[in-house]
PDB file of all heavy atoms in Angstrom:
ATOM      1  N   VAL A1233       1.903   1.852  -3.525  1.00 89.00           N
ATOM      2  CA  VAL A1233       0.841   2.405  -4.317  1.00 89.00           C
ATOM      3  C   VAL A1233       0.673   3.878  -4.065  1.00 89.00           C
ATOM      4  O   VAL A1233       0.491   4.688  -4.983  1.00 89.00           O
ATOM      5  CB  VAL A1233      -0.509   1.665  -4.011  1.00 89.00           C
ATOM      6  CG1 VAL A1233      -1.654   2.347  -4.705  1.00 89.00           C
ATOM      7  CG2 VAL A1233      -0.406   0.214  -4.488  1.00 89.00           C
ATOM      8  N   ARG A1241       0.230  12.243  -9.407  1.00 96.00           N
ATOM      9  CA  ARG A1241      -0.421  13.514  -9.084  1.00 96.00           C
ATOM     10  C   ARG A1241       0.529  14.723  -9.271  1.00 96.00           C
ATOM     11  O   ARG A1241       0.129  15.768  -9.807  1.00 96.00           O
ATOM     12  CB  ARG A1241      -0.975  13.470  -7.670  1.00 96.00           C
ATOM     13  CG  ARG A1241      -2.185  12.635  -7.479  1.00 96.00           C
ATOM     14  CD  ARG A1241      -2.865  12.915  -6.159  1.00 96.00           C
ATOM     15  NE  ARG A1241      -1.960  12.740  -5.032  1.00 96.00           N
ATOM     16  CZ  ARG A1241      -1.847  11.571  -4.374  1.00 96.00           C
ATOM     17  NH1 ARG A1241      -2.604  10.502  -4.749  1.00 96.00           N
ATOM     18  NH2 ARG A1241      -1.021  11.442  -3.342  1.00 96.00           N
ATOM     19  N   THR A1254      -0.374  24.784 -22.961  1.00 94.00           N
ATOM     20  CA  THR A1254      -1.582  23.964 -23.145  1.00 94.00           C
ATOM     21  C   THR A1254      -2.541  24.642 -24.107  1.00 94.00           C
ATOM     22  O   THR A1254      -3.095  24.003 -25.015  1.00 94.00           O
ATOM     23  CB  THR A1254      -2.286  23.727 -21.785  1.00 94.00           C
ATOM     24  OG1 THR A1254      -1.371  23.024 -20.895  1.00 94.00           O
ATOM     25  CG2 THR A1254      -3.531  22.883 -21.972  1.00 94.00           C
ATOM     26  N   LEU A1275     -10.347  12.715 -49.730  1.00 95.00           N
ATOM     27  CA  LEU A1275      -9.851  11.345 -50.026  1.00 95.00           C
ATOM     28  C   LEU A1275     -11.021  10.324 -49.991  1.00 95.00           C
ATOM     29  O   LEU A1275     -11.104   9.465 -50.870  1.00 95.00           O
ATOM     30  CB  LEU A1275      -8.737  10.949 -49.030  1.00 95.00           C
ATOM     31  CG  LEU A1275      -8.200   9.574 -49.165  1.00 95.00           C
ATOM     32  CD1 LEU A1275      -7.517   9.347 -50.505  1.00 95.00           C
ATOM     33  CD2 LEU A1275      -7.147   9.335 -48.011  1.00 95.00           C
ATOM     34  N   TRP A1295     -10.230  13.445 -35.426  1.00 97.00           N
ATOM     35  CA  TRP A1295     -10.333  14.245 -34.194  1.00 97.00           C
ATOM     36  C   TRP A1295      -9.866  13.443 -32.997  1.00 97.00           C
ATOM     37  O   TRP A1295      -9.307  14.000 -32.040  1.00 97.00           O
ATOM     38  CB  TRP A1295     -11.782  14.754 -34.003  1.00 97.00           C
ATOM     39  CG  TRP A1295     -12.086  15.814 -34.995  1.00 97.00           C
ATOM     40  CD1 TRP A1295     -12.991  15.740 -36.021  1.00 97.00           C
ATOM     41  CD2 TRP A1295     -11.508  17.123 -35.036  1.00 97.00           C
ATOM     42  NE1 TRP A1295     -13.000  16.926 -36.737  1.00 97.00           N
ATOM     43  CE2 TRP A1295     -12.101  17.836 -36.164  1.00 97.00           C
ATOM     44  CE3 TRP A1295     -10.564  17.816 -34.302  1.00 97.00           C
ATOM     45  CZ2 TRP A1295     -11.787  19.129 -36.473  1.00 97.00           C
ATOM     46  CZ3 TRP A1295     -10.207  19.109 -34.624  1.00 97.00           C
ATOM     47  CH2 TRP A1295     -10.810  19.748 -35.730  1.00 97.00           C
ATOM     48  N   ILE A1326      21.033   9.681  -8.843  1.00 86.00           N
ATOM     49  CA  ILE A1326      20.127  10.090  -7.801  1.00 86.00           C
ATOM     50  C   ILE A1326      18.867   9.239  -7.861  1.00 86.00           C
ATOM     51  O   ILE A1326      18.347   8.825  -6.848  1.00 86.00           O
ATOM     52  CB  ILE A1326      19.782  11.600  -7.923  1.00 86.00           C
ATOM     53  CG1 ILE A1326      21.042  12.437  -7.764  1.00 86.00           C
ATOM     54  CG2 ILE A1326      18.733  12.003  -6.894  1.00 86.00           C
ATOM     55  CD1 ILE A1326      20.849  13.915  -8.095  1.00 86.00           C
ATOM     56  N   LEU A1334      12.859   2.342 -10.576  1.00 93.00           N
ATOM     57  CA  LEU A1334      13.087   3.342 -11.658  1.00 93.00           C
ATOM     58  C   LEU A1334      12.010   3.296 -12.681  1.00 93.00           C
ATOM     59  O   LEU A1334      11.440   4.370 -13.081  1.00 93.00           O
ATOM     60  CB  LEU A1334      14.455   3.125 -12.262  1.00 93.00           C
ATOM     61  CG  LEU A1334      14.864   4.159 -13.291  1.00 93.00           C
ATOM     62  CD1 LEU A1334      15.160   5.482 -12.629  1.00 93.00           C
ATOM     63  CD2 LEU A1334      16.126   3.678 -14.074  1.00 93.00           C
ATOM     64  N   ASP A1372     -23.765   4.099 -26.337  1.00 94.00           N
ATOM     65  CA  ASP A1372     -23.890   3.317 -25.131  1.00 94.00           C
ATOM     66  C   ASP A1372     -22.638   3.529 -24.225  1.00 94.00           C
ATOM     67  O   ASP A1372     -21.539   3.762 -24.687  1.00 94.00           O
ATOM     68  CB  ASP A1372     -24.014   1.848 -25.454  1.00 94.00           C
ATOM     69  CG  ASP A1372     -22.829   1.320 -26.244  1.00 94.00           C
ATOM     70  OD1 ASP A1372     -22.624   1.787 -27.401  1.00 94.00           O
ATOM     71  OD2 ASP A1372     -22.048   0.478 -25.713  1.00 94.00           O
ATOM     72  N   LEU A1396      12.262   2.254 -23.444  1.00 96.00           N
ATOM     73  CA  LEU A1396      13.367   1.540 -24.135  1.00 96.00           C
ATOM     74  C   LEU A1396      14.260   2.540 -24.907  1.00 96.00           C
ATOM     75  O   LEU A1396      15.460   2.400 -24.896  1.00 96.00           O
ATOM     76  CB  LEU A1396      12.797   0.478 -25.061  1.00 96.00           C
ATOM     77  CG  LEU A1396      12.303  -0.798 -24.396  1.00 96.00           C
ATOM     78  CD1 LEU A1396      11.589  -1.694 -25.441  1.00 96.00           C
ATOM     79  CD2 LEU A1396      13.526  -1.606 -23.843  1.00 96.00           C
ATOM     80  N   LEU A1448      -3.155   4.412 -31.268  1.00 96.00           N
ATOM     81  CA  LEU A1448      -4.228   5.160 -31.847  1.00 96.00           C
ATOM     82  C   LEU A1448      -5.266   4.241 -32.565  1.00 96.00           C
ATOM     83  O   LEU A1448      -6.463   4.375 -32.344  1.00 96.00           O
ATOM     84  CB  LEU A1448      -3.751   6.235 -32.819  1.00 96.00           C
ATOM     85  CG  LEU A1448      -4.828   7.020 -33.587  1.00 96.00           C
ATOM     86  CD1 LEU A1448      -5.764   7.699 -32.618  1.00 96.00           C
ATOM     87  CD2 LEU A1448      -4.153   8.056 -34.492  1.00 96.00           C
ATOM     88  N   LEU A1476       7.378  -3.649 -21.344  1.00 98.00           N
ATOM     89  CA  LEU A1476       7.790  -3.409 -19.952  1.00 98.00           C
ATOM     90  C   LEU A1476       8.805  -4.459 -19.502  1.00 98.00           C
ATOM     91  O   LEU A1476       9.779  -4.108 -18.785  1.00 98.00           O
ATOM     92  CB  LEU A1476       6.567  -3.456 -19.019  1.00 98.00           C
ATOM     93  CG  LEU A1476       5.572  -2.289 -19.162  1.00 98.00           C
ATOM     94  CD1 LEU A1476       4.389  -2.489 -18.258  1.00 98.00           C
ATOM     95  CD2 LEU A1476       6.255  -0.948 -18.946  1.00 98.00           C
TER      96      LEU A1476
END
Side-chain angles (χ1 to χ4, degrees):
V1233 171
R1241 287 194 301 270
T1254 300
L1275 178 59
W1295 289 111
I1326 298 172
L1334 184 69
D1372 60 295
L1396 280 170
L1448 176 56
L1476 291 177

